[in-house]
Amino acid sequence: MTALSAGAGPDAGRDPETGRGQDAGRGPDMETSGARAVELPGPVNAHSHAFHRLLRGRTHARGPASGPDSFWTWRTQMYRYADRLDPAAYRDLATAVYAELAAAGYTAVGEFHYLHHTPGAREHAMALALADAALDVGIRLTLLDACYLQGGLDSGGRVLPLSPEQARFADADAAAWARRHRSLRAALAERAAASGRGRRGLLRLGAAVHSVRAVPAAALPTIAAALDPGEPLHAHVSEQPAENAACEAAYGCTPTELFARAGLLGPHFTAVHATHLTPGDIALLGGARANVALCPTTEADLGDGIGPARALADAGAVLGLGSDQHAVVDPFLEMRALEHGERLASGQRARFTPEQLTAAAADGGRRALGLPQTAAADRILVDAGSVRTAGSAPGQLPMSATAADVLEVQVAGDVIARNGRHVRLGDPAQLYREFFARWPQFRAAAP
Ligand SMILES: [Zn+2]
């Protein structure tokens, strides 16, 4: 067996009969703990908002005595950071975030992007800041250009106006979003062409409907008409019961039913979260062979709830995993949280096999992001002899390893990270320290 760092081909370390990762040996620079490294398919982060990383470790000061804390109070804090980012700061921040993702083992990221407009900045400046960060890191990026048109729906289903913080997310109407989307496609293609050999294939454009809260049903046909054949379309779906209630009041149906009525469900559609679904929603998503991007560590952090992952998979939906707000950046902890959520909700173990968890992290994410077949060759090497993993059966590493056990990360034939460091940019922690030194407006306030 050959180590990835020695330029092994896509099938190196794979059992020819089963296709499963086998002992892949050790590269010359790897700090293994004396045991051997195991190769796994490269995890894909199917749902990211890079700027949410600013909230890590800052949203937990309230206690029960402060009154109810929820997704909605968290969102108020998130809007404050969204308001302060300009393209230059976002380029620095996203570089650190994507370097952290790469060092943790992620080989691709789906960036659900809605910070579109900055007064005084050129069109697409925020989107191109993300593209440049991904190219710099060498991680695959599907930029999911989100349509966002209104401030939300109240509990009676009435449309709320955009708040001042939401204004930069919004286009004038769906036609304006479609025009900007087409122009962004050209701008991204230009960036990819200028990026040099080996990096051109890393960038992809997808689309997103932010949610049924932020996009009215009347806008959905215009969005659908603007998509290229096979272009991924993502939407936040039923993350909170209040979203379902508002949708029911506005349209007399669930968010999933609204997307189904608009003809949007299918293999290129990804429902993000899909936490509070009816049996009918599960049947619709499964019957359409749609993707579902579960974000278990974020859903736990925000108190969203536990989505019906097993039922969705049984119905025919394809599961992927995302780290969403990046409170946790660790593909193994997402895999584990998916299984743990199922166990806590069902009272049963073994709801997903470790192999199914690996497939959700890799194959499911790749499908949701519309990545090419060649991306299936992206690989990570995992230390099977660390304090966490020594003695584990190699096939059960998804239930014992963490990102700290990732020895090497290979994307499109290049090693981009090794032993927790980006091969060119170095320690992601240093990138964050430099970011906060350069942009003091993002430093944490007490407490
Ligand atoms: Zn999200």
Side-chain angles (χ1 to χ4, degrees):
M1 297 293 177
T2 318
L4 289 179
S5 56
D11 291 320
R14 311 283 291 172
D15 182 307
E17 299 268 321
T18 66
R20 283 182 204 147
Q22 299 290 304
D23 180 354
R26 246 190 294 169
D29 301 319
M30 286 172 212
E31 298 162 10
T32 69
S33 48
R36 308 180 72 155
V38 169
E39 185 184 288
L40 291 175
V44 171
N45 196 329
H47 188 66
S48 159
H49 304 283
F51 77 95
H52 289 188
R53 170 62 179 82
L54 290 169
L55 281 84
R56 186 189 295 171
R58 299 183 180 185
T59 62
H60 310 282
R62 294 162 64 104
S66 313
D69 195 10
S70 70
F71 167 84
W72 305 101
T73 47
W74 170 90
R75 191 179 73 156
T76 305
Q77 294 175 274
M78 182 267 282
Y79 281 174
R80 277 187 216 127
Y81 289 109
D83 206 31
R84 293 179 216 165
L85 273 168
D86 65 17
Y90 207 14
R91 169 78 157 83
D92 283 353
L93 176 62
T95 302
V97 172
Y98 293 162
E100 184 188 2
L101 295 187
Y106 286 113
T107 54
V109 56
E111 180 68 33
F112 195 109
H113 174 58
Y114 55 89
L115 297 186
H116 298 308
H117 306 288
T118 310
R122 292 169 60 183
E123 192 176 39
H124 310 312
M126 293 295 271
L128 293 175
L130 293 162
D132 288 341
L135 288 171
D136 217 4
V137 169
I139 195 169
R140 295 182 193 274
L141 170 71
T142 298
L143 187 69
L144 300 156
D145 174 27
C147 184
Y148 200 113
L149 300 176
Q150 61 193 27
L153 297 171
D154 71 11
S155 57
R158 287 172 292 269
V159 172
L160 298 169
L162 293 162
S163 68
E165 298 94 338
Q166 291 168 321
R168 70 179 306 186
F169 311 162
D171 296 298
D173 53 27
W177 172 85
R179 271 195 302 278
R180 191 177 53 68
H181 189 65
R182 278 192 292 272
S183 150
L184 176 57
R185 184 185 310 287
L188 270 190
E190 201 176 297
R191 218 36 153 237
S195 65
R197 219 166 68 80
R199 305 236 150 161
R200 277 176 206 147
L202 297 182
L203 297 184
R204 240 153 215 86
L205 182 65
V209 172
H210 179 277
S211 58
V212 299
R213 293 177 272 125
V215 177
L220 297 179
T222 307
I223 295 167
L227 302 180
D228 267 359
E231 182 173 345
L233 176 67
H234 288 219
H236 292 121
V237 175
S238 296
E239 182 175 6
Q240 287 286 323
E243 175 184 309
N244 286 357
C247 188
E248 193 67 47
Y251 303 110
C253 66
T254 67
T256 299
E257 287 166 352
L258 196 69
F259 291 127
R261 284 183 196 174
L264 297 182
L265 301 190
H268 304 297
F269 180 83
T270 296
V272 179
H273 301 301
T275 309
H276 300 282
L277 300 183
T278 65
D281 294 337
I282 294 169
L284 281 171
L285 290 166
R289 299 281 294 142
N291 308 290
V292 177
L294 301 151
C295 306
T297 65
T298 284
E299 287 143 14
D301 181 83
L302 297 180
D304 287 339
I306 300 169
R310 183 70 259 173
L312 281 161
D314 290 344
V318 179
L319 305 186
L321 289 165
S323 68
D324 192 358
Q325 58 154 332
H326 308 305
V328 172
V329 168
D330 186 326
F332 291 99
L333 294 189
E334 298 299 341
M335 290 183 235
R336 211 122 82 224
L338 171 59
E339 170 65 11
H340 285 171
E342 278 287 322
R343 291 184 185 189
L344 288 166
S346 69
Q348 293 172 10
R349 303 180 81 242
R351 299 284 285 174
F352 291 101
T353 65
E355 194 172 12
Q356 288 172 325
L357 298 174
T358 306
D363 308 349
R366 221 169 51 240
R367 186 177 188 264
L369 298 189
L371 298 184
Q373 191 50 40
T374 49
D378 295 347
R379 288 284 179 271
I380 60 172
L381 281 186
V382 181
D383 188 348
S386 77
V387 70
R388 290 162 294 278
T389 59
S392 293
Q396 296 187 30
L397 285 173
M399 296 305 286
S400 61
T402 72
D405 300 311
V406 174
L407 299 171
E408 193 169 280
V409 183
Q410 186 189 90
V411 177
D414 290 329
V415 174
I416 62 167
R418 192 174 279 146
N419 297 320
R421 296 170 66 87
H422 189 272
V423 292
R424 204 172 47 72
L425 300 169
D427 183 359
Q430 180 62 24
L431 298 178
Y432 283 124
R433 288 193 289 269
E434 286 167 10
F435 169 82
F436 288 113
R438 194 172 308 144
W439 305 96
Q441 66 269 41
F442 297 111
R443 287 181 200 157

